Amino acid sequence: MELIQRQEPQLPTKIEDLAQFVLVGRDKLAMVRAGIRALDKLDVAEGVRRQKKEEAQMLAEALLDAETRIGEILRQMPKASGAHWEQKRESKSNTAVTSNPQPTKQDAIEELGFNKMQASRFETLAANKDLVEEIKQQAREADDLPTRTAVLQAVKWRDKMATMKKAEEDKVRTMSAEVKHKPVIHVM
């Protein structure tokens, strides 16, 4: 079995460049996937198909990494940055002049070309890097592409299991407390 050595892609460092990479990369990945489907229909040589599949795999992983990095940066931004209006009085005209407030996190998200839901998903990826890596590994082993959707589903599943476990533990604690506080009746 041939070992494929994977190099981590060099992602852009600025959030604007990361956002552009994600926006363009998603379109590129869609084109590569369409190319793979076309190759499958044409029954092209396995080597060509394999090469396209590896390209798609690397791109999908790089996109997940870029989205995770954007999520990390967004998580560090304050939700709103003093969105109050400064008022200054002009001495002669007595009219209030307002200056623009500092841009909010929402403004930054929109400026990058994303919406609030996408930003929330990126932040979820950043908060669950272990699952991102796990999904990437599972996809490699299954000769499939890792997706943000798969990661988000895994996060949802893990959260559901944690909630169920906590509910079960709470139930056991409650039952234990009831048993301890029951009066003991001695019958003679």
Side-chain angles (χ1 to χ4, degrees):
M1 182 173 187
E2 180 183 327
L3 282 177
I4 298 173
Q5 188 175 24
R6 295 197 177 269
Q7 286 185 327
E8 290 298 316
Q10 292 292 355
L11 295 175
T13 55
K14 292 177 22 183
I15 191 167
E16 295 85 3
D17 296 337
L18 279 166
Q20 203 56 27
F21 175 79
V22 168
L23 293 172
V24 172
R26 286 278 160 209
D27 290 338
K28 171 78 172 150
L29 182 59
M31 289 188 304
V32 171
R33 290 174 106 169
I36 291 170
R37 285 191 298 274
L39 291 172
D40 287 344
K41 287 181 182 178
L42 295 173
D43 199 26
V44 176
E46 182 60 28
V48 174
R49 185 187 176 286
R50 184 88 211 120
Q51 183 180 2
K52 280 294 183 188
K53 191 82 169 182
E54 286 174 9
E55 178 184 348
Q57 179 80 31
M58 287 183 350
L59 183 55
E61 288 184 16
L63 285 167
L64 266 177
D65 291 340
E67 291 172 343
T68 301
R69 182 68 186 123
I70 290 172
E72 289 172 349
I73 294 168
L74 291 176
R75 286 178 64 191
Q76 295 172 1
M77 287 181 174
K79 289 190 189 256
S81 56
H84 64 278
W85 293 79
E86 289 183 20
Q87 293 188 351
K88 298 179 183 176
R89 296 246 177 225
E90 289 185 7
S91 59
K92 293 183 182 173
S93 64
N94 263 351
T95 58
V97 177
T98 58
S99 64
N100 288 334
Q102 293 291 329
T104 64
K105 182 176 186 175
Q106 184 61 35
D107 294 336
I109 290 167
E110 289 172 6
E111 190 174 305
L112 293 170
F114 300 116
N115 62 40
K116 192 174 182 178
M117 180 62 76
Q118 288 171 309
S120 173
R121 289 175 179 151
F122 297 161
E123 290 182 40
T124 300
L125 294 176
N128 295 280
K129 289 181 187 178
D130 60 324
L131 283 178
V132 171
E133 291 304 317
E134 188 176 317
I135 294 297
K136 286 171 26 180
Q137 183 60 38
Q138 287 173 0
R140 276 185 221 119
E141 291 169 0
D143 194 31
D144 200 2
L145 301 179
T147 64
R148 178 179 55 222
T149 302
V151 176
L152 296 174
Q153 287 174 340
V155 168
K156 192 174 184 178
W157 176 256
R158 181 165 66 183
D159 290 349
K160 184 177 180 179
M161 291 295 108
T163 301
M164 288 174 51
K165 183 178 178 183
K166 184 178 179 337
E168 185 64 32
E169 289 171 353
D170 290 347
K171 184 178 176 182
V172 168
R173 266 191 240 111
T174 302
M175 290 173 61
S176 295
E178 288 174 1
V179 169
K180 288 180 181 178
H181 295 318
K182 276 192 173 185
V184 177
I185 302 175
H186 296 284
V187 181
M188 294 200 165

